Amino acid sequence: MQLFLRDPSYTERLATFLTSVGRRAVVGAPDRVDVDESADDSHGLELEMYLRVWAVLYPDADVQLAAA
């Protein structure tokens, strides 16, 4: 999956946050984080939960999810 950020200054922070909660996240472009889909999370529910936490921590960091 790919996550796109409106403000590229948050990209590295988002990748670090997702890595800290056990997801494999790699900065793919200045405004994009690539996240491996987990086999046991086929619907992306876990990732969605983490993105909700991220939105509370960084309300100005707009993130959009797109399938890879």
Side-chain angles (χ1 to χ4, degrees):
M1 295 190 147
Q2 296 177 326
L3 305 173
F4 292 92
L5 293 99
R6 184 181 308 170
D7 183 349
S9 69
Y10 290 101
T11 306
E12 191 66 43
R13 280 185 265 185
L14 177 57
T16 301
F17 169 74
L18 291 172
T19 300
S20 76
V21 294
R23 299 303 296 249
R24 185 173 179 278
V26 177
V27 175
D31 64 344
R32 188 184 85 221
V33 175
D34 299 331
V35 181
D36 281 350
E37 294 185 58
S38 173
D40 59 338
D41 186 28
S42 61
H43 299 288
L45 298 175
E46 182 181 308
L47 180 59
E48 185 177 314
M49 179 188 66
Y50 292 139
L51 291 177
R52 287 182 183 179
V53 171
W54 171 261
V56 171
L57 296 172
Y58 299 97
D60 296 335
D62 184 38
V63 177
Q64 301 208 356
L65 177 65

